[in-house]
C-alpha cells in the first residue's frame, strides 16, 4: 500500500476546518465584529486592555456554561446593555478586563442565523488552560 495516501483523510479534515475558519472570518469582518474583537488575547505585559473580550477568552469563560450558545447569540442580537441602564450603573463579568463598557446591538449587522454560526465557532475554540 502506498503510504502517501494514509495522510489524505487528515489533510482533507484540516482543509475543511480551514474553509470553515475562513468563512467565519469573512462573516465577522462583514458584520463588524473584528472592529472590537480579536481571536487571541494579547500576551504583551503592560498592554492596555482590549476593546472587547478575545474570542478565545469568551470560549474559555463559557466552556462549561449550559445554554451558552443561545444566551450569547441573543446577546449579539440585542447587545449586552440591560434595559435598566441609566437607573443603575452597568457592570458585567468583563468589566475591568476590556475597555468597552457594553456591546451595542448587532441586529442590523448580522442575521440571527449567522450570529448563531459565529457563536458556535467561538465556543468550539480550544479554551485557555
Ligand atoms: C463596538 C464594539 C463591539 C463590536 C462591533 C462587537 N462587540 Fe461583542 N462585545 C463588545 C464588548 C465591549 C463586550 C463585553 C460586553 C459586556 O461586558 O457587557 C462584548 C462581548 C461579546 C460576547 C460575550 C458576551 C457575554 O455575555 O459574555 C460575544 C459572544 C460577542 N461580544 C460577540 C460579538 C459578535 C459575534 C460581534 C459581531 C456580530 C460582536 N461581538 C461585535 C464589543 C463589541
Amino acid at each position: 500500500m502506498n503510504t502517501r495516501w494514509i495522510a489524505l483523510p487528515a489533510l482533507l479534515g484540516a482543509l475543511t476546518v480551514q474553509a470553515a475558519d475562513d468563512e467565519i472570518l469573512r462573516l465577522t469582518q462583514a458584520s463588524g465584529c473584528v472592529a472590537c474583537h480579536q481571536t487571541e488575547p494579547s500576551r504583551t505585559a503592560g498592554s492596555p486592555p482590549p476593546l472587547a473580550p478575545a474570542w478565545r477568552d469568551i470560549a474559555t469563560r463559557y466552556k462549561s456554561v449550559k445554554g451558552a450558545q443561545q444566551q450569547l447569540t441573543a446577546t449579539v442580537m440585542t447587545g449586552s446593555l440591560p434595559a435598566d441602564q441609566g437607573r443603575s450603573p452597568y457592570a458585567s463579568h468583563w468589566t475591568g478586563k476590556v475597555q468597552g463598557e457594553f456591546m451595542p446591538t448587532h441586529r442590523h449587522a448580522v442575521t440571527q442565523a449567522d450570529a448563531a454560526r459565529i457563536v458556535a465557532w467561538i465556543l468550539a475554540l480550544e479554551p485557555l488552560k
Side-chain angles (χ1 to χ4, degrees):
M1 185 178 176
N2 188 333
T3 48
R4 267 185 305 172
W5 296 111
I6 293 173
L8 197 58
L11 179 66
L12 287 178
L15 287 176
T16 311
V17 168
Q18 185 60 48
D21 281 357
D22 287 351
E23 202 203 331
I24 295 292
L25 197 67
R26 269 196 298 277
L27 205 49
T28 56
Q29 281 166 350
S31 317
C33 318
V34 295
C36 299
H37 290 274
Q38 293 183 316
T39 301
E40 303 296 342
S42 166
R43 299 190 199 291
T44 316
S47 59
L51 272 176
W55 298 143
R56 202 174 295 281
D57 284 335
I58 297 174
T60 306
R61 172 166 191 99
Y62 286 95
K63 65 180 175 204
S64 42
V65 175
K66 274 209 170 77
Q69 169 69 34
Q70 286 75 12
Q71 183 194 324
L72 293 179
T73 303
T75 303
V76 173
M77 298 314 280
T78 61
S80 67
L81 202 58
D84 69 350
Q85 172 69 5
R87 274 181 279 140
S88 55
Y90 173 68
S92 89
H93 41 261
W94 300 111
T95 302
K97 297 186 186 126
V98 301
Q99 291 186 43
E101 220 176 306
F102 61 90
M103 178 160 71
T105 167
H106 280 78
R107 73 169 66 91
H108 304 295
V110 69
T111 62
Q112 170 114 10
D114 282 346
R117 287 168 64 209
I118 298 172
V119 167
W121 176 84
I122 296 170
L123 292 175
L125 289 172
E126 179 86 16
L128 295 170
K129 296 282 177 315

